[in-house]
Amino acid sequence: MVIKSIIVDDELNNVEYLQRLLQQYFPQVQVVATASNTADAYAAIVQHRPDLVLLDIQMPGESGFDLLTKFSRIDFEVIFITAHDQYGIRAIKFSALDYLLKPVTLPDLQTAIEKAASRIAGKHKDHSIENLLAFITTGNKEQQKIALPLQSEIRYATVISIIRCEASSNYCHVFLDTGENLLVCKTLKDFAGLLQPYGFVRTHQSHLVNTRFVKSYLKEDGGTLLLNDKTRIPVSKAHRMDVKEALQQIL
């Protein structure tokens, strides 16, 4: 299967480096065009209708995100390429999309290409790109959705609908206000990094809680959170001060 691809990056050396890697290790990935800005990238995508776009986020003028907003329908896969843009990385992780950190390494590129090829071969359509664009364009945190990779699907849930997360080895149980308990292919550490800016607090090595669902802080057993659904969540000594500070912020 030939995968038509376009590389979008304003730095020529990065474009040439990616082209060499693709040519040497991924002969099925055919680079049909390159672009150094969003205007040229848009024209190339319209002309060539690629299967895959390797897209730099930070470029002079408009960003890679700006490019995507120009399309009413996105029918190509995207692998983002970025330096340490924390906001961009958080947006991408929220949407369960693939990204590569500069400088791009062969193992990371291989993993991303394999995932993209699998989705292209199966013509799998999800709402990851749409969710990404909603994340970066909306100013309403309460309406932002996070992608929850399950075994057979990717579920999208609003951040405010998540009551808590509980670690389960390399997975996580995510409890929603609908009563659902979803086993998600992310670690609790992943969720903590994504959700703490949204009013979530780590109470224990195994628990992350949305403070909007906390009913009481109980002093029993060194500290326990009583949630609105009557669930009791332990508060460890190591996280006690963080919990108290987070609860003070919602008073």
Side-chain angles (χ1 to χ4, degrees):
M1 178 184 68
V2 175
I3 300 174
K4 291 194 300 181
S5 67
I6 291 176
I7 300 173
V8 182
D9 195 313
D10 64 296
E11 298 181 33
L12 180 60
N13 60 324
N14 289 334
V15 173
E16 293 176 342
Y17 174 63
L18 282 172
Q19 284 182 302
R20 287 197 301 271
L21 285 180
L22 293 173
Q23 184 177 13
Q24 184 172 356
Y25 297 100
F26 309 94
Q28 76 276 27
V29 180
Q30 177 186 357
V31 179
V32 296
T34 65
S36 60
N37 57 66
T38 59
D40 291 346
Y42 180 83
I45 291 170
V46 170
Q47 177 183 350
H48 294 284
R49 300 186 63 184
D51 303 303
L52 174 66
V53 175
L54 291 95
L55 180 60
D56 188 16
I57 294 179
Q58 294 173 304
M59 294 180 288
E62 295 184 310
S63 71
F65 295 147
D66 293 323
L67 170 64
L68 296 176
T69 63
K70 298 177 185 293
F71 294 92
S72 58
R73 180 172 177 269
I74 296 173
D75 54 6
F76 49 86
E77 296 295 327
V78 178
I79 297 174
F80 291 95
I81 302 170
T82 180
H84 292 277
D85 175 358
Q86 291 305 316
Y87 176 77
I89 291 174
R90 179 178 294 153
I92 293 166
K93 286 183 175 180
F94 251 76
S95 306
L97 287 158
D98 287 318
Y99 70 96
L100 301 172
L101 283 176
K102 295 181 180 180
V104 175
T105 66
L106 179 58
D108 288 344
L109 180 61
Q110 182 174 6
T111 299
I113 292 292
E114 288 175 353
K115 289 182 181 178
S118 177
R119 290 193 294 266
I120 292 167
K123 294 183 178 180
H124 175 67
K125 171 65 177 175
D126 62 38
H127 300 283
S128 297
I129 292 290
E130 289 87 343
N131 192 61
L132 168 71
L133 297 180
F135 182 97
I136 63 176
T137 57
T138 181
N140 187 351
K141 286 187 175 182
E142 292 190 354
Q143 296 306 315
Q144 287 177 351
K145 292 185 177 182
I146 184 171
L148 304 175
L150 310 182
Q151 186 173 6
S152 59
E153 63 175 314
I154 296 179
R155 179 79 67 87
Y156 294 88
T158 57
V159 172
I160 61 171
S161 70
I162 299 174
I163 299 174
R164 62 188 182 93
C165 305
E166 183 174 340
S168 178
S169 187
N170 290 325
Y171 294 84
C172 211
H173 289 279
V174 176
F175 296 84
L176 303 180
D177 60 6
T178 58
E180 293 177 280
N181 173 2
L182 306 177
L183 184 61
V184 180
C185 303
K186 282 181 180 289
T187 65
L188 190 67
K189 182 179 179 180
D190 291 332
F191 276 112
L194 291 172
L195 295 178
Q196 281 178 335
Y198 295 83
F200 286 72
V201 62
R202 189 83 173 260
T203 71
H204 184 276
Q205 65 179 2
S206 300
H207 296 280
L208 179 73
V209 173
N210 187 343
T211 55
R212 71 171 57 230
F213 291 99
V214 175
K215 181 178 181 180
S216 306
Y217 178 90
L218 307 177
K219 296 181 180 180
E220 62 186 35
D221 299 325
T224 301
L225 291 186
L226 177 63
L227 306 188
N228 292 337
D229 63 1
K230 299 183 180 180
T231 302
R232 292 172 180 256
I233 305 297
V235 177
S236 69
K237 183 178 181 180
H239 294 90
R240 193 174 301 157
M241 289 305 300
D242 291 336
V243 170
K244 290 182 177 180
E245 288 177 8
L247 295 178
Q248 284 293 328
Q249 293 176 12
I250 65 173
L251 294 178

